[in-house]
Amino acid sequence: MQHYSLLDLSPVPEGRTTGDALANTIDLARAAETAGYHRYWLAEHHNMPGIASAATSLVIGQVAAATSTMRVGAGGIMLPNHSPLVIAEQFGTLATFFPGRIDLGLGRAPGTDMATARALRRHFGGEDNFPQDVADLMALLDDPSEAGRVRAIPGEGTHVPVWILGSSLYGAQLAAAFGLPYAFASHFAPAMLDEALDVYRRTFRPSEHLDKPHAMVAAGVFVADTDEEARYLRSSQMLSFARLRTGRPGKLPLPVENLEDEIPPHVLAQVNEALSVSATGAPDTVRRELSALVERYKPDELIVTGMIHDHAARVRSFQLAADILKDLVTPARQAEAATC
């Protein structure tokens, strides 16, 4: 493993505001940089009361301005919601402000419910334009071409690194065909993780962007002084995910002692399966569980996430996780991948 990184969903806890959530994101980003995280990603979600990062490029700019060395980017931008030109201009502007520090992860899902997706896109077509949109976006970020009548300014010549995100074989196949790095959303949809990694690595075509596969695996992480405390902190995310699955999305709930009293058994089973790629407990427990994940999936990079209601406990969880992840990085591979 070359790097460890952090995915912040900018949660809005019950009893708090979106302003509190965004302030927490800035505070967490500073702590993450000090703890040695390689990159800090934010994700595009819409119409979700519990997530404050809808205007993703704006939040990325604030995080990048509040830090100085860590890479910052999107994990990801849901490209079907936007024109490639607009995203090229936004991320070209970010790369101009913060050269060498901006990443652009691209997803194919809307990142919301269908009614909101219609409000975002205004119209729907039956065709799948995602591969062409990705190609167009990369061309707009590439060196200017005399043949190009439409230019992204800022944007052209910035060569912002593009990642493909996914939770199925589609993204794995596209990332391999384009020769791009690939990030799998195993923190909430792990069912096809093994197969997707195999397809990506086996069919990867070297490109001007990447000469060999670079796969990132996402995992939940919740670290506290004891296993019991960590499970208690994690209950907020479990309860939030259960409510989302049953059509009742809201702010991040307060933690509870007994999830079985809050979530029907069949729903809890679904939640446990969806969030199974995770490590929860005291530092020794999390070290053992993260080591097992790295050994099984052999990621080039592990990106961790975790929604904890209490901000101080959340920051400390990621700090403790960083102490563990540092020991799982292979120094020779980290040096080899210093520019990624």
Side-chain angles (χ1 to χ4, degrees), residues 123-149:
H123 64 85
F124 282 88
E127 68 281 0
D128 179 10
N129 295 322
F130 185 66
Q132 186 59 54
D133 284 349
V134 172
D136 291 345
L137 175 53
M138 290 194 298
L140 289 163
L141 295 170
D142 204 345
D143 292 330
S145 168
E146 293 183 3
R149 298 181 60 186

Side-chain angles (χ1 to χ4, degrees), residues 68-115:
S68 58
T69 58
M70 184 172 56
R71 298 192 66 89
V72 185
I77 290 294
M78 302 298 106
L79 193 54
N81 296 339
H82 314 275
S83 76
L85 176 60
V86 167
I87 298 304
E89 291 170 341
Q90 289 178 2
F91 279 79
T93 300
L94 288 168
T96 301
F97 276 125
F98 311 104
R101 294 183 56 207
I102 301 300
D103 298 326
L104 175 53
L106 300 174
R108 180 171 168 244
T112 186
D113 59 272
M114 294 311 294

